[in-house]
Amino acid sequence: MAESTTISNTANLMKYMKLDQKGSVLAEYVWIDGSNGVRSKTKTLSGPVKSYKELSEWNFDGSSCGQAPGDNSDVYLRPVAIYPDPFRGGDNILVMCECWDHDGTPNKFNYRHDCARQMEAHADQEPWFGLEQEYTLLGPDGWPYGWPKGGFPAPQGPYYCGVGTTKVYCRDIVESHYKACLFAGIQISGINAEVMPAQWEYQVGPCKGIELGDQLWMSRYLLRRVSEEYGVQITLAPKPIPGDWNGAGLHTNVSTADMRKDGGMKAIEAAMKNLEKRHVEHIAVYGEGNAERMTGEHETASMDKFSWAVADRGASIRIPRQVAADGKGYFEDRRPASNACPYQITGITMETVSIDL
Ligand code: ADP
Ligand code: MN
Ligand code: MN
Ligand code: MN
């Protein structure tokens, strides 16, 4: 059980959470800031909301989020998706937003806009994405949760999908996040404890096109909100602890209608050819600090060289054995780091697998 360092009183909070809202609906507008984090603020609305299209634009102080200069600080929030709010319950909602500048252009950190254009341009291919989000829990001192203070646990081995005391840490946070995602309608497809102790993974997908980016960002928001309540920090750093400890990735599973139908292996192989040619462009948007993770050790490929293979966790791209056996299905791009932006990953992937190179 995680120890909370936050000063809060759950019993008191529950007393107020139960009070009647008198028909009001609280909308939590969520956006991505200038340092790959999430921010949010709340607006009271007069009644239930069925679609994001009913919601008005809003704005915030971009200079306080690293997204705009102080002398021209208004950034606009355009709602793009809504989800039931697992924290407030009832008709209250979470609202995923895009950031736009005052001159009507997308904000510098609005990677969704380009991604949506790619997804629309290639909608006939019916892309599906499933991402595996790995992350690490840190205690209040910034050291992995449950590790001896300033020291190290026993070497890796018993922790992956581990069960039992000293094998796993903070299962309570992981379970809380799982339920919160399900309530919010996030297509979370599973969870597992990872190779490094205090590291976990959850998967989102398969989702269609732009929905993957929206849902994954909202799942990150939920993870950070849940961890607040336990006084634990979440880091998406790709290599939180140097040395013989696994890094954290964001494996990206991809398929198009052509790959999923009989004989789809041909479309997968064509995609491999394209992906090989654009390796450098992909690596450029696959996360900060990825070089420390992609060493060729710890189930990663080398960052400088593209490779693909069936069932090989040391390749840039793995074709699952079952996919090779069926001759159709999907591929797993193992290169993206845990802190990469899902809009950037899925956007460039759609572009690359579609162009005639
Ligand atoms: P791994 O074996 O690499 O740990 P996981 O089970 O963690 O794989 O994750 C696999 C992901 O791939 C899941 O999110 C799943 O929804 C997704 N997935 C499965 N089939 C497809 C498909 N045809 N297209 C895209 N994603 C898929
Ligand atoms: Mn996985
Ligand atoms: Mn994993
Ligand atoms: Mn994987």
Side-chain angles (χ1 to χ4, degrees), residues 132 134 194 201:
E132 305 167 47
E134 294 179 342
E194 269 305 335
E201 169 182 316

Side-chain angles (χ1 to χ4, degrees), residues 79-290:
V80 292
I82 57 172
Y83 306 90
D85 181 344
F87 304 108
R88 295 185 171 120
D91 288 333
N92 302 306
I93 52 172
L94 304 174
V95 184
M96 192 65 211
C97 298
E98 270 191 31
C99 293
W100 286 74
D101 289 346
H102 66 96
D103 60 1
T105 58
N107 184 259
K108 191 174 152 203
F109 301 98
N110 177 354
Y111 298 117
R112 186 186 189 278
H113 179 64
D114 268 346
C115 180
R117 282 211 319 227
Q118 289 296 338
M119 296 307 166
E120 272 159 35
H122 305 296
D124 58 323
Q125 299 185 39
E126 297 170 42
W128 294 0
F129 300 97
L131 268 58
E132 305 167 47
Q133 176 71 69
E134 294 179 342
Y135 62 97
T136 308
L137 302 161
L138 305 176
D141 55 358
W143 196 235
Y145 196 93
W147 287 29
K149 269 209 177 327
F152 296 88
Q156 293 184 160
Y159 309 112
Y160 170 73
C161 298
V163 178
T165 304
T166 76
K167 303 296 191 295
V168 292
Y169 304 106
C170 293
R171 198 188 285 279
D172 49 3
I173 292 180
V174 176
E175 290 291 321
S176 304
H177 175 248
Y178 202 170
K179 292 300 271 281
C181 282
L182 291 172
F183 183 90
I186 303 294
Q187 288 163 257
I188 183 166
S189 51
I191 57 167
N192 61 267
E194 269 305 335
V195 176
M196 184 182 103
Q199 200 172 85
W200 289 83
E201 169 182 316
Y202 63 90
Q203 304 97 29
V204 174
C207 295
K208 291 178 187 162
I210 194 71
E211 285 174 30
L212 185 280
D214 292 343
Q215 290 198 25
L216 193 80
W217 270 111
M218 193 50 83
S219 75
R220 287 176 173 179
Y221 173 82
L222 294 174
L223 184 58
R224 294 197 186 277
R225 281 289 307 270
V226 166
S227 68
E228 264 178 33
E229 293 171 24
Y230 293 88
V232 165
Q233 303 179 63
I234 303 294
T235 178
L236 297 184
K239 190 76 179 182
I241 306 293
D244 206 10
W245 302 98
N246 271 33
L250 187 61
H251 294 169
T252 297
N253 300 275
V254 183
S255 67
T256 61
D258 279 346
M259 296 175 192
R260 292 188 295 266
K261 71 181 189 209
D262 283 348
M265 202 59 199
K266 249 180 81 177
I268 294 177
E269 281 170 17
M272 293 306 115
K273 288 213 174 84
N274 281 8
L275 285 157
E276 175 157 28
K277 290 185 190 132
R278 298 190 81 212
H279 179 65
V280 174
E281 290 90 334
H282 279 250
I283 288 291
V285 296
Y286 277 5
E288 290 275 322
N290 204 12

Side-chain angles (χ1 to χ4, degrees), residues 303-321:
M303 189 147 128
D304 315 318
K305 210 180 131 272
F306 179 88
S307 59
W308 69 274
V310 173
D312 184 357
R313 287 185 155 73
S316 313
I317 294 188
R318 174 178 70 109
I319 313 285
R321 187 167 295 290

